[in-house]
Amino acid sequence: MKKITYAKAIKEGISEEMRRDSTVFMIGEDIGVYRGTFGVSDGMLEEFSKERIIDTPVSETAFMGVAIGSAMTGLRPVVELMFSDFMAVCYDQIINQAAKMHFAFKEKVPMVIRTASGAGTGASFQHSQSLEQMYAHVPGLKVVMPATPYDAKGLIKSAIKDDNPVVFLESKALYNDEDYIPDDEYSIPLGVADVKREGKDVSIITYGRMVKTALESAKRLEKEGVDVEIIDLRTLVPLDTNAIISTAKKTGRVLIVHEAVKFAGFGGEILSTIIESDAFNFLKTNVRRLGLGYHAIPFNKNLEEEVFPTVEKIEFEIKDMLKQKSQD
């Protein structure tokens, strides 16, 4: 076992696949000499050369198109889109081309779109959004959002091997988080959620940066005798509906947490999965959702922290759910 950061875990996973498969390459802005905006590609130019670590002009539409075309010819590009917010610049390439090529022409499009997602760094409204629900809504795209270094490495390897376009969302606030991972190579299949914490009183279903926040809440609530189960979805498409239904049945109380805007957010899909299944009959209280309000993300660090789900907000929701039981 070795201790490694979230960023280095992703780099290690990509590097292993590039050594294994000569068709894998990286493409994006500032990924060579500059090492990527968050340093993920540090040292990769020296190992793999500029033929496989390709720096591009500042044109997301152009290099996304290059990646899609190369994937259709048999290569396996790993695209670095600096911030997930920039998807707006090349959304046509992603949703009308990459996602549709198999449907239209039976062509495989084995590519990974890596991008920094979410807030937590004071980067303001154009560099801090969580837009996973926009990707998940498009048939033909797979969507991955790891919360730990272990998951990040295992999932990036599976994403690269997949024959479909995979959007790999990296929570930028987690890049420096450290955890132990195996020395040997491993991978994690897409579409399998993980129980980050066993519990019996209430379930938190979440993903990405909010897994860490949920775990902190669970530790504090444990001191008050509340046993919280935490389900980390890890991938949104394909979605592990069995894990969602199972935990809802087990505890009967569910809080869905994500840092994306609550209105029309992915939490609604999780909620409907529970309501439309037999898990509904096991519920002791209404399922609740906690997310960002319907507004832009402030630049000020204190304000930014205030508008997102916090340890305290999660605690309040859970205690209120438990209080509701005593009143019924």
Side-chain angles (χ1 to χ4, degrees):
M1 299 289 282
K2 58 187 175 186
K3 200 170 190 180
I4 193 170
T5 66
Y6 184 93
K8 288 183 178 179
I10 295 168
K11 172 197 169 182
E12 191 168 289
I14 298 171
S15 296
E16 286 177 3
E17 292 306 308
M18 290 183 71
R19 296 182 196 116
R20 181 187 63 83
D21 184 350
S22 62
T23 67
V24 180
F25 70 96
M26 281 187 64
I27 183 170
E29 298 166 1
D30 294 332
I31 64 171
V33 175
Y34 190 66
R35 307 174 298 113
T37 304
F38 296 95
V40 172
S41 54
D42 183 24
M44 294 182 73
L45 177 64
E46 290 76 9
E47 178 176 358
F48 298 107
S49 84
K50 64 180 181 180
E51 300 300 319
R52 297 180 71 192
I53 304 296
I54 303 174
D55 265 324
T56 69
V58 183
S59 176
E60 287 80 5
T61 300
F63 66 72
M64 193 64 69
V66 167
I68 295 167
S70 66
M72 292 175 68
T73 65
L75 299 179
R76 291 184 177 269
V78 178
V79 185
E80 180 170 309
L81 185 62
M82 276 190 184
F83 294 90
S84 66
D85 315 65
F86 297 171
M87 67 182 283
V89 182
C90 52
Y91 204 36
D92 177 66
Q93 296 281 21
I94 298 170
I95 70 167
N96 286 330
Q97 309 306 326
K100 305 295 191 295
M101 288 300 102
H102 182 71
F103 175 78
F105 306 113
K106 300 299 181 185
E107 290 282 354
K108 294 179 180 179
V109 189
M111 63 182 292
V112 178
I113 303 170
R114 291 183 43 246
T115 186
S117 174
T121 61
S124 194
F125 53 89
Q126 292 178 334
H127 298 77
S128 302
Q129 297 170 93
S130 296
L131 301 172
E132 63 271 11
Q133 65 281 4
M134 296 178 70
Y135 290 115
H137 187 70
V138 180
L141 298 179
K142 294 187 177 183
V143 184
V144 180
M145 202 162 185
T148 67
Y150 176 84
D151 291 343
K153 179 180 177 181
L155 289 167
I156 192 67
K157 287 172 68 67
S158 292
I160 292 171
K161 293 173 184 174
D162 201 287
D163 285 335
N164 301 281
V166 180
V167 180
F168 196 88
L169 297 160
E170 304 162 8
S171 297
K172 64 175 72 71
L174 300 179
Y175 276 127
N176 293 320
D177 282 15
E178 292 185 320
D179 198 3
Y180 288 97
I181 69 169
D183 293 318
D184 297 332
E185 289 191 32
Y186 67 94
S187 60
I188 298 171
L190 306 186
V192 180
D194 186 41
V195 181
K196 286 292 191 283
R197 188 183 192 279
E198 295 273 1
K200 59 180 175 55
D201 295 328
V202 62
S203 301
I204 297 176
I205 302 176
T206 186
Y207 54 86
R209 179 168 73 106
M210 289 295 108
V211 171
K212 182 178 179 180
T213 305
L215 286 167
E216 291 175 10
S217 299
K219 286 181 183 178
R220 288 171 50 160
L221 287 164
E222 185 178 24
K223 297 176 182 177
E224 300 183 38
V226 181
D227 194 11
V228 180
E229 179 154 290
I230 297 174
I231 305 297
D232 176 9
L233 294 178
R234 299 198 292 196
T235 64
L236 306 187
V237 182
L239 181 63
D240 190 346
T241 56
N242 289 333
I244 294 170
I245 293 168
S246 177
T247 194
K249 286 183 176 181
K250 178 180 178 181
T251 68
R253 302 180 187 89
V254 178
L255 175 63
I256 300 164
V257 182
H258 57 59
E259 64 174 303
V261 172
K262 177 182 174 182
F263 180 81
F266 194 78
E269 185 62 32
I270 301 169
L271 172 61
S272 66
T273 297
I274 297 169
I275 298 300
E276 294 172 1
S277 74
D278 63 339
F280 177 76
N281 299 317
F282 291 77
L283 296 178
K284 300 171 184 175
T285 63
N286 291 334
V287 177
R288 299 193 182 190
R289 292 184 294 152
L290 189 59
L292 177 68
Y294 197 61
H295 52 72
I297 300 165
F299 168 74
N300 180 278
K301 196 71 169 63
N302 293 328
L303 291 176
E304 181 194 53
E305 291 176 1
E306 181 63 28
V307 300
F308 286 99
T310 61
V311 171
E312 293 75 18
K313 289 177 183 177
I314 292 174
E315 284 186 71
F316 174 84
E317 292 292 339
I318 289 177
K319 288 179 180 179
D320 197 52
M321 291 170 75
L322 294 170
K323 187 191 303 181
Q324 184 176 336
K325 173 199 170 185
S326 64
Q327 293 174 342
D328 291 344

